[in-house]
Amino acid sequence: MNATDTIPLVRASLGERELAAVAEVFTSGWPAGQGPQGTGLEAELTRRYAAGGAVAVSNCGAALHLAMLALGVAPGDEVIVADYTFPAPAHAVRYVGATPVTADVRADTGTVDPQAVADLIGPRTVGVIAVDTLGLPADYAQLKAVTDRHGLFLVEDAACAVGATYQGREAGALAPVACLSFHGRKGATSGEGGALIATDPAVARDARMRSSFGIGSIFDQAQIVGLPVPEFTEIGYNFKLSDIAAAILRVQLGRTGELLQRRRAVAARYGELLAGEELLSVPHVPADRTHAWQSYPVTLDAGVDRAKVATDLRAAGIGCGHGAWATHLQPVFATKHTCPVSADLFRRTLAIPMHAELSMDQVERVVRVLRTALRAHAS
Ligand SMILES: *Cc1c(COP(=O)(O)O)cnc(C)c1O
């Protein structure tokens, strides 16, 4: 088997245009963060999401951390988090000394179950972090009804969902605060990167200040006449996105339509080819939303040995993974409280290759190998 026979699980679509944008930053002499590229990116994000403000940061984990700080989450508070996800939301709640309370998910979509959220609200609950699971938006109409009724904040973790929609609105604008990821495995990427999008400009301002050690942009200060020395009044962090990464992202965000169209075609073909397969089920996308297809998760029949199927796929040069995590089953978040649907998805989900560079021949080969492996390892 040679390299051309391998089909990776993920592959970033970075090319000549992104390289040219990086070359421009080199010429400009300002590669650090919050310079012209970062400011330009933030303006584009603010427009794209019709937001009160957008802050470019080093990753989505940092955006979630800044969201918790800006929303005033403190030790003793509880924040309800979607259980089935990359467990960044629960990490963010712990960064500020608060307690994440994991809510179970819908079996058909893997997104947080609004009823489970409502059932978990108690006297210490201050807010909810919903997740657009692997690119599929959660039920924001119902979630918003619950959080409004109880005076809670609602944060959208749209890390995987750039380009997805819910009831005609774009993921990233489905809650008053949203966090995006531009990690190399997501639909738009600068290698590492993230953003916080806020309806309230004050939330964005707070996040931007704390993302740069609590003082404003050094680039902006260099433009001021005289020498006003800024003072440190807050403990901040260095969560800035470099202008090198921002330049790459401005190109990537302009390509999301094109890249998503290719992912959609891959998902549609998988859907056709796997429609009759009784040993797995393909993702369900409710009629009121569209998927960003960060991953293509199939749910295997309970009688299939997932690890053996994965071994066969990898032996054939085909990448695969387990999908998301059940947060409550991770040792660091261990709790007595259970989320049975999430636990079941965590055991049975298999992510198969999904990216914008896949050919339809490759998709067909993945399905052939997968079908054979399913038959070989079903009890
Ligand atoms: C990938 C991911 C994150 C983390 O993003 P980084 O940019 O790597 O910090 C957070 N939440 C979800 C749901 C993710 O999938």
Side-chain angles (χ1 to χ4, degrees):
M1 185 171 59
N2 63 47
T4 58
D5 294 320
T6 67
I7 305 177
L9 177 62
V10 290
R11 188 183 158 79
S13 298
L14 292 164
E16 293 300 325
R17 288 176 56 201
E18 287 83 356
L19 269 179
V22 169
E24 263 182 55
V25 177
F26 287 8
T27 308
S28 81
W30 188 271
Q34 295 187 336
Q37 291 292 341
T39 307
L41 172 65
E42 289 183 349
E44 285 165 15
L45 289 169
T46 302
R47 261 200 310 280
R48 177 179 177 130
Y49 296 105
V55 189
V57 292
S58 47
N59 56 69
C60 183
L64 288 162
H65 186 175
L66 292 169
M68 295 299 98
L69 291 167
L71 294 166
V73 181
D77 291 344
E78 290 182 358
V79 178
I80 298 171
V81 298
D83 192 66
Y84 187 62
T85 177
F86 184 85
H91 277 270
V93 175
R94 288 277 289 269
Y95 295 156
V96 296
T99 304
V101 176
T102 52
D104 210 353
V105 297
R106 283 175 55 166
D108 59 345
T109 58
T111 55
V112 69
D113 177 354
Q115 189 55 51
V117 170
D119 292 346
L120 288 166
I121 293 170
R124 291 146 87 101
T125 310
V126 295
V128 176
I129 306 177
V131 175
D132 299 334
T133 313
L134 303 174
L136 183 65
D139 294 283
Y140 288 94
Q142 291 91 326
L143 289 167
K144 192 163 177 308
V146 172
T147 53
D148 282 354
R149 190 156 65 240
H150 295 271
L152 308 174
F153 69 72
L154 178 60
V155 170
E156 176 189 10
D157 181 342
C160 298
V162 172
T165 60
Y166 171 80
Q167 298 183 351
R169 285 165 52 219
E170 241 199 287
L174 302 177
V177 178
C179 298
L180 310 181
S181 173
F182 304 121
H183 180 267
R185 282 195 62 169
K186 316 293 186 182
T189 184
S190 49
E192 300 278 354
L196 179 145
I197 313 292
T199 306
D200 180 355
V203 169
R205 261 198 311 277
D206 183 274
R208 188 177 296 103
M209 278 307 254
R210 292 184 206 268
S211 75
S212 63
F213 287 116
I215 56 163
S217 160
I218 305 286
F219 182 86
D220 289 349
Q221 278 154 33
Q223 323 299 314
I224 296 172
V225 181
L227 194 60
V229 179
E231 288 187 315
F232 292 89
T233 56
E234 298 271 0
I235 292 299
Y237 300 85
N238 184 356
F239 289 162
K240 298 188 298 294
L241 185 75
S242 77
D243 264 34
I244 298 173
I248 295 171
L249 275 176
R250 294 176 78 181
V251 176
Q252 284 270 295
L253 288 169
R255 295 180 63 200
T256 50
E258 164 217 335
L259 296 175
L260 187 52
Q261 202 175 3
R262 279 146 66 180
R263 287 175 182 263
R264 271 201 192 112
V266 170
R269 190 72 184 124
Y270 273 138
E272 278 165 20
L273 293 169
L274 290 168
E277 177 52 65
E278 59 211 23
L279 291 174
L280 61 72
S281 54
V282 298
H284 169 65
V285 182
D288 64 350
R289 65 202 81 178
T290 62
H291 208 303
W293 299 114
Q294 187 266 343
S295 292
Y296 193 86
V298 295
T299 310
L300 305 188
D301 185 88
V304 173
D305 185 327
R306 180 177 65 168
K308 287 186 175 155
V309 171
T311 302
D312 285 7
L313 284 170
R314 287 180 180 157
I318 296 169
C320 59
H322 67 81
W325 280 259
T327 301
H328 76 288
L329 295 180
Q330 305 315 306
V332 71
F333 300 120
T335 155
K336 284 193 278 294
H337 156 86
T338 62
C339 295
V341 177
S342 172
D344 184 51
L345 289 173
F346 181 47
R347 266 192 303 273
R348 294 199 287 132
T349 300
L350 184 72
I352 57 177
M354 172 51 85
H355 52 82
E357 313 288 321
L358 285 171
S359 71
M360 292 303 153
D361 284 350
Q362 289 178 315
V363 168
E364 282 162 26
R365 187 155 82 81
V366 170
V367 169
R368 271 198 308 277
V369 175
L370 177 58
R371 279 189 188 281
T372 306
L374 288 170
R375 301 255 124 33
H377 304 299
S379 60

